[in-house]
Amino acid sequence: LRVNSVKLSQLVWQHDNARPHVKQEVKDFFRTRQIELLPQSPYSPDLNLCDRFVNQFIKNKLRDQSYTTSDDVVKDVTALLRRTDPQIF
């Protein structure tokens, strides 16, 4: 990040819903800086093993792609999962 600076608003952030992270001050900080938060269920601090495998699978398949918008990422991930045999999971 030091070589190629990135603005906070260019990233998608995920936190674990811990009490300090859901305080109004923290929510205001993210909102005023237009930082996108990735939602996570309140009782799931970590992804389960199946989700970790699927995420790694997606990462490996789309590794050489370059994206400019989150919509493009959603489109490609959706297309990848639709054409993948569910038996491999």
Side-chain angles (χ1 to χ4, degrees), residues 27-66:
K27 291 179 182 179
D28 291 343
F29 173 85
F30 285 118
R31 185 179 36 74
T32 58
R33 286 162 180 79
Q34 299 177 338
I35 299 171
E36 183 180 354
L37 289 177
L38 185 64
Q40 183 174 5
S41 66
Y43 299 107
S44 178
D46 297 315
L47 297 172
N48 65 37
L49 292 175
C50 178
D51 289 339
R52 290 185 199 161
F53 173 76
V54 173
N55 289 340
Q56 189 64 39
F57 172 79
I58 293 168
K59 181 179 174 182
N60 289 338
K61 292 290 186 179
L62 301 179
R63 175 167 300 187
D64 297 327
Q65 302 297 320
S66 179

